[in-house]
Amino acid sequence: MSQQQSTTQRFDIGGMTVTKVIDTVETFSPRVLYVDKDRSAFDPHLDWLQPHFVDANKAMRLSIHSFIIETRHHRVLVDTCVGNHKQGSGFPQWNDRTDAGYLTDLAAAGYRPEDIDYVFCTHMHVDHTGWNTRLRDGRWVPTFPNARYLFNKREWAAWEHSDNPHDKATMTQNVVPIIEAGQVQWVDNNWAIDDQVELLPTPGHTPGHCSVRIAHRGASAVITGDMMIHPVQIAEPGWQQTADADKALAARTRLAFVDNHCDRDVMILGTHFHTPTGVYIVERGGARRVRLPDS
Ligand SMILES: [Zn+2]
């Protein structure tokens, strides 16, 4: 079940609340996201992709948002989006942003930055680490002053020495300041934050990529991260994402995930899925597709 609000969305997982707070919503051509797909590739799936996930021109509707999990013990914020004042991302629309909406909406949802206990980034790409930090007096400081930032050792090892200027900019602005502030808790793939939230390794997009499994009173959900960016990949897990570091491994990971979660009562919370964002995987007529919660 979910309740649609103007800028945030709440999901009920067995009585536990997960809140989505949006940083930005954009449309992308499939030519940008996928190695060899154009808009016609959506045609077999338009009956369920439109209107929520693909627009009338067959462009992909994507959302960049955080999920805040309110467990019995902690407030856990998963993925920190693009952020403000960042430079050098390689995506012009993500550079030099001055949009106050994210923190305002977070506060409206009931979360001040100091209320967050843990921050987890599914991986260290620019659109998942941005609000890790904010600019104060010319310095990057942690946005969430009381949080432990859970950084995956395997992920940091993959990016620490990257020569790519965009990756270096992301590390310099979004990751290194957290390490220098002493707020990092280094974790492995098998980490559990508490008895309700644990990491689910989903490698391929990046080497240390982890999704997040949430469980409460017999109900469960998975936050995807970029293991799949768009719901079409539930039907087409083999489509290669341009940004996948290991495209064959990423496709295997996606296929296994879809197999494991098809026709099960597990809500899939897509990290870039446009509203309504939380969906179920079902098989209809021999093909996989999305079922919306209220259908
Ligand atoms: Zn992403």
Side-chain angles (χ1 to χ4, degrees):
M1 293 295 292
S2 63
Q3 292 180 333
Q4 182 65 48
Q5 301 177 358
S6 58
T7 52
T8 64
Q9 192 180 353
R10 291 189 193 276
F11 305 91
D12 182 329
I13 312 298
M16 183 163 63
T17 299
V18 178
T19 303
K20 180 185 88 173
V21 174
I22 295 173
D23 194 18
T24 177
V25 172
E26 301 178 11
T27 57
F28 279 85
S29 161
R31 287 190 181 281
V32 176
L33 267 291
Y34 299 111
V35 171
D36 57 359
K37 302 298 170 201
D38 61 22
R39 295 174 191 228
S40 67
F42 292 133
D43 288 348
H45 312 297
L46 283 181
D47 61 318
W48 57 273
L49 287 175
Q50 288 178 329
H52 300 298
F53 308 117
V54 169
D55 72 12
N57 297 317
K58 294 195 271 188
M60 306 168 70
R61 305 178 79 190
L62 295 177
S63 172
I64 301 176
H65 46 252
S66 298
F67 290 109
I68 300 95
I69 311 165
E70 182 95 36
T71 80
R72 273 194 298 267
H73 317 284
H74 303 113
R75 290 167 164 182
V76 183
L77 189 149
V78 179
D79 282 336
T80 60
C81 310
V82 176
N84 273 356
H85 307 293
K86 309 290 175 167
Q87 298 176 343
S89 74
F91 292 84
Q93 74 272 26
W94 294 348
N95 295 332
D96 299 304
R97 294 177 75 231
T98 55
D99 188 339
Y102 178 82
L103 290 180
T104 303
D105 291 345
L106 197 64
Y111 300 105
R112 300 167 302 166
E114 51 268 45
D115 296 331
I116 301 300
D117 299 304
Y118 288 104
V119 172
F120 176 66
C121 302
T122 57
H123 61 298
M124 289 186 174
H125 277 169
V126 60
D127 56 318
H128 297 258
T129 55
W131 282 107
N132 279 1
T133 59
R134 55 178 160 178
L135 203 54
R136 279 273 169 81
D137 302 322
R139 289 182 56 236
W140 293 109
V141 301
T143 303
F144 306 99
N146 299 321
R148 305 300 296 167
Y149 286 68
L150 307 173
F151 286 171
N152 188 314
K153 294 173 191 170
R154 197 172 302 210
E155 189 69 5
W156 174 238
W159 301 112
E160 184 179 4
H161 302 297
S162 173
D163 290 330
N164 179 296
H166 302 311
D167 298 335
K168 286 171 93 166
T170 298
M171 296 307 123
T172 301
Q173 297 168 100
N174 299 352
V175 176
V176 172
I178 306 301
I179 299 172
E180 292 181 347
Q183 286 185 229
V184 174
Q185 185 164 345
W186 296 102
V187 302
D188 295 310
N189 278 351
N190 59 355
W191 187 262
I193 294 171
D194 56 32
D195 58 348
Q196 296 172 293
V197 181
E198 65 178 6
L199 306 190
L200 174 67
T202 43
H205 184 65
T206 61
H209 189 283
C210 285
S211 304
V212 177
R213 186 182 295 283
I214 304 165
H216 184 57
R217 290 188 189 144
S220 62
V222 176
I223 295 174
T224 60
D226 282 4
M227 181 260 300
M228 60 173 65
I229 291 176
H230 190 274
V232 73
Q233 290 168 290
I234 287 169
E236 304 280 4
W239 286 14
Q240 293 190 342
Q241 295 181 158
T242 309
D244 285 344
D246 183 333
K247 292 177 175 54
L249 176 59
R252 284 200 303 276
T253 295
R254 264 192 304 280
L255 180 58
F257 181 85
V258 171
D259 282 347
N260 289 338
H261 293 86
C262 185
D263 289 324
R264 286 184 54 203
D265 190 23
V266 179
M267 179 175 276
I268 310 303
L269 293 166
T271 296
H272 291 313
F273 289 9
H274 193 269
T275 304
T277 302
V279 303
Y280 296 93
I281 300 173
V282 294
E283 190 162 306
R284 297 277 189 273
R288 271 74 180 272
R289 54 174 287 172
V290 153
R291 178 176 70 78
L292 302 181
D294 50 5
S295 64

